[in-house]
Amino acid sequence: MKHRIKIKVPATTANLGPGFDCLGAALSLYNEFEVKVLPTVGKKINVFVEGIDADYIPKDEKNHFYHAMKKIFQKVGTTIPSLEISIKNNIPLQRGLGSSATAYVAGVVAGNILCGEPLSEYELINIAAELEGHPDNVVPCMFGGLCVTTLVDGEVKFVKLNPPKDLAVLIIIPEEKIATEKARKVLPEKVSFVDAVKNVSNVSLLVAVIVSKKYEFLKFATVDFLHQPYRKKLMPWIDNVFNTCLENKALCCMLSGSGSAIIALYKKTQLEEDFKEKIWMRLRKFVNCKVEILFFVNQGVIVKT
Ligand code: HSE
């Protein structure tokens, strides 16, 4: 049995506009987790966290990575040993970039390896999705690519597509955090039939656009009627940010997951060297933010040792 594991897992952007709770893609930004089994007898954990938002990550049993590992030990019927956990957190928390999904996915994978790999990937992704509450971040986080996900009688079903290699993803990361729980509370219980039809049309078009690379349709296909209109009130600067990106060559703009980050897609060839600096100067007039240029990635979990 392995006693030391290192795992790298990608950030994810969920929804991609109208794909609420069902579309998600892995991005080229990673959290790193290391776990060592300690010889100490009795339940004991030491958690060390460095990097972005490190102060906000629990260092006790409430730690998401530990919690997910513990779930696996419980499922297998083994007592969790004393552990030392080291986390390098590069994905900002509560910005809709899948930081909690990285901890759940890394936790179920690490727990399974420590237990001698009794569970299948399918069992692991179901446990991770249950911990997270929705599958659209954990699936691309585990498997990479752009994933279409659903729950059938509570079980995860998904299809992974190759992500567009010719697109760059501008991520606008506001200073302000927004918890998913809070962003889900502003959603309505019902939507109109007209909005539901518009959403079905757009999300279908979006998947077709990604597969066919007809990127000229992205601007229309990414318009959402289920969550963004309601979540706007939490981000009053959002229209200005969308307009600034669209006026500066973006193919489309969307809320990343439940926010507060925004993503804008560009053809890689459109981005000149100083683009990041230039767009940030324009965006910071509306929101206190950082910007990063990332790419879609086709690999999810990377187990290093
Ligand atoms: N689909 C989820 C939501 C993603 O929009 O609430 C959370 O990041």
Side-chain angles (χ1 to χ4, degrees), residues 78-221:
T78 315
T79 311
I80 191 162
S82 299
L83 299 172
E84 182 177 296
I85 292 168
S86 306
I87 301 172
K88 186 151 188 252
N89 200 68
N90 297 315
I91 304 170
L93 301 191
Q94 298 187 349
R95 307 309 206 290
L97 294 170
S99 60
S100 58
T102 66
Y104 291 136
V105 166
V108 296
V109 171
N112 194 41
I113 296 173
L114 289 179
C115 289
E117 304 198 41
L119 303 181
S120 66
E121 277 187 338
Y122 184 70
E123 287 170 295
L124 297 182
I125 197 61
N126 272 291
I127 295 168
E130 198 184 326
L131 288 167
E132 176 83 335
H134 48 90
D136 46 342
N137 288 103
V138 290
V139 173
C141 181
M142 178 98 119
F143 299 105
L146 195 154
C147 298
V148 185
T149 65
T150 189
L151 293 173
V152 179
D153 297 330
E155 286 204 13
V156 176
K157 307 282 174 203
F158 72 95
V159 172
K160 175 184 165 182
L161 300 173
N162 287 334
K165 283 196 186 129
D166 45 355
L167 296 183
V169 186
L170 177 78
I171 310 264
I172 299 131
I173 307 165
E175 180 76 28
E176 191 194 347
K177 296 179 171 56
I178 296 182
T180 298
E181 205 189 345
K182 182 175 172 189
R184 288 182 90 88
K185 279 200 180 127
V186 300
L187 301 178
E189 276 184 21
K190 291 181 180 171
V191 293
S192 72
F193 192 76
V194 172
D195 281 353
V197 171
K198 286 196 276 192
N199 226 71
V200 171
S201 309
N202 282 2
V203 77
S204 310
L205 185 63
L206 178 58
V207 174
V209 164
I210 288 162
V211 172
S212 66
K213 297 192 179 295
K214 294 198 164 141
Y215 297 141
E216 66 275 20
F217 289 105
L218 272 176
K219 192 171 163 187
F220 316 107

Side-chain angles (χ1 to χ4, degrees), residues 37-48:
V37 176
L38 299 174
T40 331
V41 181
K43 198 170 58 172
K44 185 172 178 293
I45 54 163
N46 290 327
V47 182
F48 302 98

